[in-house]
Short mmCIF file of all heavy atoms in Angstrom, two decimals:
data_model
loop_
_atom_site.label_atom_id
_atom_site.label_comp_id
_atom_site.label_asym_id
_atom_site.label_seq_id
_atom_site.Cartn_x
_atom_site.Cartn_y
_atom_site.Cartn_z
N GLY A 471 93.99 133.95 110.16
CA GLY A 471 93.34 132.65 109.95
C GLY A 471 93.76 132.00 108.65
O GLY A 471 93.96 130.78 108.58
N MET A 472 93.92 132.80 107.61
CA MET A 472 94.35 132.26 106.33
C MET A 472 95.79 131.76 106.39
O MET A 472 96.12 130.74 105.78
CB MET A 472 94.18 133.32 105.24
CG MET A 472 92.72 133.65 104.91
SD MET A 472 92.52 135.06 103.79
CE MET A 472 93.27 134.42 102.27
N ARG A 473 96.64 132.46 107.12
CA ARG A 473 98.02 131.99 107.28
C ARG A 473 98.06 130.67 108.04
O ARG A 473 98.81 129.75 107.69
CB ARG A 473 98.86 133.05 108.00
CG ARG A 473 99.04 134.33 107.23
CD ARG A 473 99.82 134.16 105.95
NE ARG A 473 101.25 133.99 106.20
CZ ARG A 473 102.16 133.87 105.23
NH1 ARG A 473 101.79 133.86 103.96
NH2 ARG A 473 103.43 133.73 105.53
N GLU A 474 97.25 130.57 109.06
CA GLU A 474 97.17 129.31 109.82
C GLU A 474 96.72 128.16 108.92
O GLU A 474 97.21 127.04 109.03
CB GLU A 474 96.19 129.48 110.99
CG GLU A 474 95.80 128.20 111.71
CD GLU A 474 96.96 127.52 112.43
OE1 GLU A 474 98.00 128.18 112.67
OE2 GLU A 474 96.82 126.33 112.76
N ALA A 475 95.81 128.46 107.99
CA ALA A 475 95.30 127.43 107.08
C ALA A 475 96.21 127.19 105.89
O ALA A 475 95.91 126.34 105.04
CB ALA A 475 93.91 127.84 106.59
N GLN A 476 97.32 127.92 105.80
CA GLN A 476 98.27 127.80 104.71
C GLN A 476 97.63 128.10 103.35
O GLN A 476 97.79 127.37 102.37
CB GLN A 476 98.93 126.42 104.70
CG GLN A 476 99.75 126.15 105.97
CD GLN A 476 100.40 124.78 105.99
OE1 GLN A 476 99.71 123.77 106.01
NE2 GLN A 476 101.73 124.75 105.98
N ALA A 477 96.92 129.21 103.30
CA ALA A 477 96.24 129.63 102.07
C ALA A 477 97.25 129.94 100.98
O ALA A 477 98.31 130.51 101.24
CB ALA A 477 95.38 130.86 102.34
N PRO A 478 96.95 129.61 99.73
CA PRO A 478 97.82 130.03 98.61
C PRO A 478 97.96 131.55 98.56
O PRO A 478 97.01 132.28 98.87
CB PRO A 478 97.07 129.50 97.38
CG PRO A 478 96.23 128.36 97.90
CD PRO A 478 95.83 128.78 99.27
N GLU A 479 99.14 132.01 98.16
CA GLU A 479 99.44 133.45 98.19
C GLU A 479 98.48 134.26 97.32
O GLU A 479 98.15 135.40 97.66
CB GLU A 479 100.88 133.67 97.72
CG GLU A 479 101.94 133.18 98.70
CD GLU A 479 101.93 133.96 100.01
OE1 GLU A 479 101.94 135.20 99.96
OE2 GLU A 479 101.92 133.31 101.08
N GLU A 480 98.00 133.68 96.22
CA GLU A 480 97.14 134.47 95.33
C GLU A 480 95.78 134.79 95.95
O GLU A 480 95.09 135.71 95.51
CB GLU A 480 96.94 133.76 93.99
CG GLU A 480 96.15 132.47 94.04
CD GLU A 480 97.01 131.24 94.26
OE1 GLU A 480 98.22 131.41 94.56
OE2 GLU A 480 96.47 130.13 94.14
N GLN A 481 95.41 134.05 96.98
CA GLN A 481 94.12 134.35 97.62
C GLN A 481 94.13 135.74 98.27
O GLN A 481 93.10 136.44 98.28
CB GLN A 481 93.79 133.28 98.67
CG GLN A 481 93.33 131.95 98.10
CD GLN A 481 91.88 131.98 97.64
OE1 GLN A 481 91.21 133.00 97.67
NE2 GLN A 481 91.38 130.82 97.22
N TYR A 482 95.26 136.16 98.79
CA TYR A 482 95.34 137.49 99.41
C TYR A 482 95.18 138.59 98.35
O TYR A 482 94.59 139.64 98.61
CB TYR A 482 96.68 137.65 100.13
CG TYR A 482 96.91 136.62 101.21
CD1 TYR A 482 97.65 135.47 100.97
CD2 TYR A 482 96.36 136.79 102.48
CE1 TYR A 482 97.85 134.51 101.95
CE2 TYR A 482 96.57 135.84 103.49
CZ TYR A 482 97.30 134.70 103.20
OH TYR A 482 97.50 133.75 104.18
N ILE A 483 95.68 138.32 97.15
CA ILE A 483 95.53 139.28 96.05
C ILE A 483 94.08 139.31 95.59
O ILE A 483 93.49 140.39 95.40
CB ILE A 483 96.46 138.90 94.89
CG1 ILE A 483 97.92 138.89 95.35
CG2 ILE A 483 96.26 139.86 93.71
CD1 ILE A 483 98.88 138.31 94.32
N ARG A 484 93.48 138.15 95.42
CA ARG A 484 92.08 138.06 94.97
C ARG A 484 91.15 138.82 95.89
O ARG A 484 90.17 139.45 95.46
CB ARG A 484 91.65 136.59 94.87
CG ARG A 484 90.25 136.38 94.32
CD ARG A 484 89.89 134.91 94.29
NE ARG A 484 89.61 134.38 95.62
CZ ARG A 484 88.42 134.38 96.20
NH1 ARG A 484 87.37 134.90 95.58
NH2 ARG A 484 88.25 133.87 97.41
N LEU A 485 91.46 138.79 97.18
CA LEU A 485 90.61 139.42 98.19
C LEU A 485 91.05 140.84 98.55
O LEU A 485 90.43 141.47 99.41
CB LEU A 485 90.57 138.55 99.45
CG LEU A 485 89.99 137.15 99.27
CD1 LEU A 485 90.32 136.27 100.47
CD2 LEU A 485 88.48 137.20 99.06
N GLY A 486 92.11 141.33 97.92
CA GLY A 486 92.59 142.67 98.21
C GLY A 486 93.14 142.83 99.62
O GLY A 486 92.97 143.86 100.27
N LEU A 487 93.87 141.81 100.08
CA LEU A 487 94.39 141.80 101.45
C LEU A 487 95.92 141.97 101.50
O LEU A 487 96.53 141.73 102.55
CB LEU A 487 94.01 140.48 102.14
CG LEU A 487 92.52 140.26 102.39
CD1 LEU A 487 92.29 138.82 102.86
CD2 LEU A 487 91.98 141.24 103.43
N GLU A 488 96.54 142.41 100.42
CA GLU A 488 98.00 142.46 100.38
C GLU A 488 98.58 143.33 101.51
O GLU A 488 99.58 142.98 102.12
CB GLU A 488 98.49 142.99 99.04
CG GLU A 488 98.05 142.16 97.83
CD GLU A 488 96.88 142.78 97.12
OE1 GLU A 488 95.87 143.13 97.79
OE2 GLU A 488 96.95 142.94 95.89
N LYS A 489 97.95 144.47 101.77
CA LYS A 489 98.44 145.38 102.80
C LYS A 489 98.45 144.69 104.16
O LYS A 489 99.42 144.79 104.92
CB LYS A 489 97.57 146.63 102.87
CG LYS A 489 97.95 147.61 103.97
CD LYS A 489 97.04 148.83 104.00
CE LYS A 489 95.67 148.49 104.58
NZ LYS A 489 94.85 149.71 104.80
N TYR A 490 97.38 143.96 104.46
CA TYR A 490 97.28 143.30 105.76
C TYR A 490 98.21 142.09 105.84
O TYR A 490 98.71 141.76 106.93
CB TYR A 490 95.83 142.86 106.01
CG TYR A 490 94.88 144.04 106.01
CD1 TYR A 490 94.07 144.33 104.92
CD2 TYR A 490 94.82 144.88 107.13
CE1 TYR A 490 93.21 145.41 104.91
CE2 TYR A 490 93.95 145.97 107.13
CZ TYR A 490 93.17 146.23 106.03
OH TYR A 490 92.33 147.32 106.05
N LEU A 491 98.47 141.47 104.69
CA LEU A 491 99.43 140.36 104.67
C LEU A 491 100.84 140.88 105.00
O LEU A 491 101.58 140.26 105.76
CB LEU A 491 99.42 139.67 103.31
CG LEU A 491 100.43 138.54 103.11
CD1 LEU A 491 100.21 137.43 104.14
CD2 LEU A 491 100.35 137.99 101.70
#
Side-chain angles (χ1 to χ4, degrees):
M472 291 172 66
R473 294 296 285 183
E474 169 65 18
Q476 297 180 296
E479 291 294 310
E480 67 270 10
Q481 285 282 4
Y482 301 97
I483 301 171
R484 184 181 74 89
L485 298 166
L487 294 170
E488 301 101 310
K489 177 181 74 172
Y490 299 103
L491 177 59

